[in-house]
Amino acid sequence: MTQAPAAAKATRRQHDREIVALAVPAFGALVAEPLFVMVDSAIVGHLGTAQLAGLGIASALLTTAVSVFVFLAYATTAAVARRVGAGDLPAAIRQGMDGIWLALLLGAAVIAVVLPTAPALVGAFGASDTAAPHASTYLRISALGIPAMLVVLAATGVLRGLQDTRTPLYVAISGFLANALLNVGLVYGAGLGIAGSAWGTVVAQCGMAVVYLAVVVRGARRHGASLRPDAAGIRASAQAGAPLLVRTLSLRAVLMIATAVAARLGDADIAAHQIILSLWSLLAFALDAIAIAGQAIIGRYLGAGDAQGARAACRRMVEWGIAVGVVLGVLVVVSRPLVLPLFSGDPIVKDTALPALLVVALSQPICGVVFVLDGVLMGAGDGPYLAWAMVLTLAVFAPVAVLVPVLGGGLTALWGAMTLMMATRLLTLWLRARSGRWIVTGATR
């Protein structure tokens, strides 16, 4: 009578330990990433307004160019974790190398596009005559670091699949510190201006990529895995990542539509929207850390052929997602009088942001479950369903968001539409999780 509850409790404790061990370092690494842009902004901002404006445009383009390939991390994590669960470490590392080779190929392709089109891309963003030269300079130089950035994504996926999120944390912190020091030295010490900031970021990213490659190569040699590019393996990595690319582009479209709608509502609304979006993104880091743990843990269970363990881990992570979402929502409500003045002293902006912020707070438990189930299905390699679900979500969100200004709604209504978007994702992901069709065991899906 007492053994079953005791065994269940022991299983929950085991899952809790695994989730914490993977999610906490992952959260630290995720938070470190946006600090690169923040450091660049703080240093370049002292050069002048035109330089800072140019950096803002170039950074937006660079971030978009890299973030659409985040599937390099997600797909690699799932594939490597499956092979780890199956007990085949050489194949796990070989799979990881395929992802890294794909990252290098994609990085070279992006450079080939960005370098000759940098001025046109900057112009498409509506850069002023004074900011455009600085934006083009930063974009052209920083584009040289895109292959390294993509290698970092893929190699991070390899280590996550190997159940290691500590090494990415250490590398991210080291890269952040190196980037800060290089920026100060090159911008002011060497007098290179905004070009120095771009070169500092390139060198820091390349250094991070070298460290990651050293770790992966050492593991490959230890387990006798080949380091040579394999056309079939690279093609398989691309095929696994293609649905996740569709998912990512659909999600980016949601955010772009929301920002475009907010811009139509007025200056105070778009300013308040940027504040809310920044806070929403920060909250997402905490939830995404649990999702990353989910990718690694679920992939390992399925690779080991343990469908029951995968189900149990999924249930426990959903509980974590709800709990963390509730905590984050409460923190948002409690801290709102302190947070909003940090972003703006305009009372109109703060009054506009407040009710929308409360909507965000109330939606955090929903977001918690969405992020967790997203990670679970990624870990299961269920990319095609995730792509379809996100396209459907975009189809639901877009007309509702566009109708907000037409019907006289404000920023709060827009964030109500964002909550509808998350609720739609919740429904599609919950239906898939409940069906059990994502549970496909074995070293490969």
Side-chain angles (χ1 to χ4, degrees):
M1 294 290 292
T2 59
Q3 287 182 349
K9 189 174 182 179
T11 300
R12 286 196 300 271
R13 283 199 300 266
Q14 178 188 349
H15 289 150
D16 290 345
R17 286 193 295 269
E18 289 182 334
I19 293 168
V20 171
L22 291 170
V24 172
F27 175 71
L30 289 170
V31 171
E33 291 173 8
L35 293 178
F36 273 79
V37 177
M38 290 180 63
V39 167
D40 289 3
S41 299
I43 294 172
V44 171
H46 291 285
L47 294 174
T49 301
Q51 288 88 338
L52 183 59
L55 173 65
I57 294 169
S59 294
L61 288 165
L62 185 65
T63 301
T64 300
V66 173
S67 63
V68 296
F69 297 114
V70 73
F71 69 83
L72 289 167
Y74 294 158
T76 304
T77 297
V80 171
R82 274 185 176 270
R83 287 160 177 79
V84 169
D88 192 349
L89 284 178
I93 296 175
R94 173 66 262 175
Q95 180 70 41
M97 284 305 306
D98 292 336
I100 290 173
W101 280 111
L102 176 61
L104 288 170
L105 291 174
L106 291 173
V110 174
I111 287 180
V113 172
V114 171
L115 285 182
T117 62
L121 292 171
V122 168
F125 261 62
S128 67
D129 292 340
T130 54
H134 300 296
S136 296
T137 297
Y138 189 93
L139 183 59
R140 275 181 165 151
I141 296 173
S142 59
L144 299 176
I146 288 178
M149 296 178 193
L150 299 187
V151 166
V152 167
L153 283 177
T156 299
V158 175
L159 295 181
R160 288 173 180 170
L162 294 170
Q163 316 296 296
D164 176 11
T165 55
R166 290 184 177 273
T167 300
L169 172 61
Y170 300 147
V171 175
I173 293 174
S174 300
F176 165 72
L177 294 174
N179 179 65
L181 293 174
L182 285 166
N183 268 259
V184 171
L186 295 175
V187 172
Y188 297 113
L192 297 180
I194 194 170
S197 178
W199 281 117
T201 299
V202 169
V203 173
Q205 291 287 352
C206 288
M208 292 171 65
V210 168
V211 172
Y212 273 120
L213 288 174
V215 173
V216 174
V217 168
R218 186 168 64 245
R221 289 176 175 171
R222 183 186 307 124
H223 296 287
S226 174
L227 297 173
R228 294 178 180 177
D230 176 67
I234 294 172
R235 187 165 54 251
S237 294
Q239 290 172 346
L244 296 180
L245 175 61
V246 173
R247 168 200 167 275
T248 300
L249 290 174
S250 299
L251 181 57
R252 296 289 299 184
V254 165
L255 299 178
M256 289 176 64
I257 290 170
T259 300
V261 170
R264 293 184 61 188
L265 297 175
D267 290 346
D269 292 88
I270 185 61
H273 174 73
Q274 289 303 114
I275 295 172
I276 302 299
L277 187 59
S278 298
L279 293 172
W280 188 78
S281 300
L282 179 62
L283 297 171
F285 285 133
L287 299 173
D288 202 26
I290 305 175
I292 288 170
Q295 294 170 30
I297 292 170
I298 294 298
R300 191 189 73 229
Y301 273 115
L302 294 178
D306 189 354
Q308 184 177 354
R311 286 184 183 274
C314 176
R315 284 194 298 270
R316 190 55 178 164
M317 280 183 284
V318 167
E319 293 170 359
W320 268 81
I322 295 172
V324 173
V326 169
V327 171
L328 292 177
V330 171
L331 287 175
V332 169
V333 173
V334 172
S335 64
R336 70 189 189 282
L338 301 175
V339 171
L340 291 178
L342 294 176
F343 289 89
S344 176
D346 188 335
I348 298 177
V349 172
K350 290 188 288 186
D351 289 344
T352 302
L354 180 57
L357 187 59
L358 293 176
V359 171
V360 169
L362 292 173
S363 70
Q364 286 309 294
I366 296 175
C367 295
V369 179
V370 167
F371 274 80
V372 165
L373 292 180
D374 206 39
V376 166
L377 297 184
M378 283 185 189
D382 205 9
Y385 182 84
L386 289 172
W388 173 87
M390 197 62 227
V391 170
L392 175 63
T393 300
L394 173 60
V396 171
F397 169 77
V400 175
V402 170
L403 284 174
V404 167
V406 175
L407 298 178
L411 187 66
T412 303
L414 176 59
W415 276 93
M418 288 286 286
T419 302
L420 172 65
M421 179 271 294
M422 294 302 292
T424 304
R425 292 186 70 190
L426 174 61
L427 178 61
T428 57
L429 296 174
W430 177 77
L431 288 173
R432 186 64 167 183
R434 185 185 180 190
S435 73
R437 294 178 184 173
W438 56 277
I439 299 178
V440 178
T441 58
T444 58
R445 182 177 173 87

